[in-house]
Amino acid sequence: MKKVLVSVSTAFLAVGLIGAAAPAQAQPIAAHTVVTSAVTTVSKSVVAPVSYSAASESVAQQNARRMAASYLKTMPFSRKGLIHQLVYEGFSTKIATYGVDKQHANWNTQAARMAASYLNTMPFSRQGLIDQLEFEGFTPAQARYGVKKVGL
């Protein structure tokens, strides 16, 4: 459920307390209280949803940032590989890069996660795994770091 910051009068209007007798269990709502229920009864023109991100972020940037975060939660990616994935999903390269860079991901950690994932499915030589990680878009230094972390 989205939390929306509303003024006192809007909050009372949203829960139907203006112009009606307040039920015994009703509590007054202080100014700038975060209301988490009953806001759905207010028309969209009265209460605009508050975005998770900065107001200067476009909808496309928000979506790219959220999609990049979702991908990183489920599987390891290189920065380059994640940008390519978002471009494949339909984002421009500029917007995809924005979304990926907003993750502030540790790409060394991502390389180690991917190296471990590869080793869980098939055997690799040290150099073969480095080559594979570089193919996935990791820098040579990130690939070496990832391979070292998994013991090769």
Side-chain angles (χ1 to χ4, degrees):
M1 179 175 292
K2 288 187 179 181
K3 294 181 180 182
V4 179
L5 187 64
V6 294
S7 68
V8 175
S9 61
T10 306
F12 279 116
L13 177 64
V15 294
L17 297 178
I18 292 181
Q25 74 274 13
Q27 298 292 321
I29 300 174
H32 303 294
T33 297
V34 176
V35 177
T36 59
S37 63
V39 175
T40 55
T41 61
V42 178
S43 75
K44 290 181 181 178
S45 63
V46 176
V47 178
V50 177
S51 158
Y52 166 80
S53 63
S56 62
E57 200 175 48
S58 72
V59 173
Q61 289 171 325
Q62 289 176 31
N63 289 340
R65 177 181 43 78
R66 290 174 58 213
M67 186 173 281
S70 177
Y71 271 114
L72 287 174
K73 284 181 186 176
T74 59
M75 63 190 78
F77 274 92
S78 66
R79 179 181 179 273
K80 183 178 178 181
L82 188 52
I83 290 169
H84 284 300
Q85 182 63 37
L86 293 184
V87 168
Y88 175 80
E89 297 285 350
F91 292 99
S92 71
T93 301
K94 181 179 178 180
I95 296 294
T97 301
Y98 173 88
V100 170
D101 288 345
K102 284 296 181 178
Q103 301 314 302
H104 304 289
N106 183 325
W107 302 113
N108 283 334
T109 300
Q110 293 296 312
R113 286 180 60 207
M114 187 171 281
S117 177
Y118 271 114
L119 288 178
N120 284 334
T121 59
M122 64 187 79
F124 275 90
S125 67
R126 182 180 193 289
Q127 189 58 51
L129 188 52
I130 289 171
D131 292 343
Q132 183 62 39
L133 293 176
E134 288 179 6
F135 176 79
E136 295 287 350
F138 290 101
T139 65
Q142 291 164 347
R144 286 190 307 274
Y145 176 89
V147 168
K148 183 178 179 181
K149 282 303 234 185
V150 296
L152 283 181

